[in-house]
Amino acid sequence: MNQIPPLWLSGLSDTFYKCFIRDNRYQLLLSGILVTIRISLLAAAIGIVLGFLIALCNLSKNKALNRIGKVYTDIIRGTPSVTQLMIIYFVIFAAVPWPKWVIASIAFGINSGAYVSEIIRAGILSVDIGQTEAGRSLGLNSRQTMMSIVVPQALTNIFPALCNEFITLVKETAIVGYVGLMDIQKAGDFIKSATYTAFMPLIGTAVIYFVIIKILTILLGRAENKMRQSAQH
């Protein structure tokens, strides 16, 4: 005999259909995933470049550069990322006709750069001073020694921390709805408002973020293992 599904299961199925299938609302989440990924990747690239430059400023013996690095780091780490996003979008880039996601990526890249700079600075300082002395004894100047000897060794040490920063960055992009971008979180909020249902859109959003982070964790973990294997040979 066919068993009648429990009422709660039937209600859950109806809610799922209403939230994600009806009116093709799942497409909002799919487009939101693409927005989140685009912003995260560009922001990560900006953060790494900016973080490396700021790390060099913080390690520099030049007082002006050192001061610039420390002020930048203090300001970015001492203010909320959502405030930084709105200042950069609504004030600094208000008159710039760039795509919203590019401006948001710049904002998150600037924010991430402050944290990446500290990661890179710690990684450079973790390399034994003897490596620098060895490079200089081979006739390399300070820049050549840094780029050819110190940085490659530091990168191996800091790669896990950079991976964690990237994962954190992906989750932090959930605030881009403040500037009108339809990312994963904003898509979930739109579905919630359209269906007057909170549970299913919020759970769906959480599951999507969890899956993305899990996939990134696996991929970055494999990259880290390959990097360590290469360093041992």
Side-chain angles (χ1 to χ4, degrees):
M1 295 179 62
N2 294 329
Q3 294 183 349
I4 299 177
L7 290 178
W8 69 267
L9 184 59
S10 177
L12 198 64
S13 176
D14 292 341
T15 304
F16 182 89
Y17 178 82
K18 181 174 69 172
C19 291
F20 303 125
I21 307 302
R22 184 184 297 174
D23 298 329
N24 295 323
R25 292 192 177 106
Y26 69 91
Q27 293 181 359
L28 294 173
L29 292 171
L30 292 178
S31 61
I33 292 172
L34 294 178
V35 170
T36 296
I37 292 175
R38 283 195 303 178
I39 292 175
S40 300
L41 290 176
L42 181 54
I46 294 172
I48 289 173
V49 173
L50 190 56
F52 180 73
L53 295 176
I54 296 300
L56 293 181
C57 288
N58 288 334
L59 292 170
S60 175
K61 295 180 180 179
N62 184 294
K63 291 184 178 180
L65 291 177
N66 191 269
R67 185 63 178 171
I68 291 172
K70 291 188 180 302
V71 169
Y72 166 82
T73 304
D74 287 343
I75 291 175
I76 297 301
R77 295 176 67 182
T79 55
S81 56
V82 64
T83 304
Q84 297 166 17
L85 172 64
M86 290 192 288
I87 289 174
I88 290 173
Y89 185 86
F90 292 112
V91 179
I92 298 176
F93 285 89
V96 180
W98 289 359
K100 290 183 177 181
W101 74 272
V102 173
I103 298 176
S105 298
I106 293 172
F108 286 112
I110 292 174
N111 177 272
S112 180
Y115 297 92
V116 171
S117 68
E118 289 300 291
I119 294 173
I120 293 176
R121 184 180 68 85
I124 291 175
L125 291 176
S126 69
V127 177
D128 190 273
I129 189 64
Q131 300 294 320
T132 301
E133 295 173 350
R136 299 305 297 272
S137 67
L138 292 173
L140 302 177
N141 58 34
S142 298
R143 184 184 64 83
Q144 292 172 329
T145 302
M146 177 66 70
M147 300 305 299
S148 301
I149 298 178
V150 177
V151 170
Q153 293 185 57
L155 183 60
T156 302
N157 296 333
I158 66 175
F159 188 75
L162 288 177
C163 292
N164 289 334
E165 172 60 23
F166 179 56
I167 290 173
T168 300
L169 182 61
V170 173
K171 292 184 288 185
E172 284 187 349
T173 60
I175 62 174
V176 295
Y178 280 97
V179 296
L181 277 166
M182 184 68 75
D183 70 321
I184 299 171
Q185 185 63 52
K186 190 65 175 180
D189 291 342
F190 182 86
I191 294 172
K192 182 177 65 175
S193 299
T195 60
Y196 299 101
T197 303
F199 174 78
M200 191 64 69
L202 291 175
I203 293 298
T205 301
V207 169
I208 291 173
Y209 274 112
F210 176 80
V211 171
I212 291 175
I213 297 303
K214 191 64 177 178
I215 292 173
L216 284 175
T217 301
I218 293 172
L219 294 177
L220 294 174
R222 291 179 178 176
E224 180 185 348
N225 290 334
K226 289 184 179 180
M227 179 177 292
R228 292 195 178 279
Q229 289 174 3
S230 300
Q232 292 174 356
H233 294 298

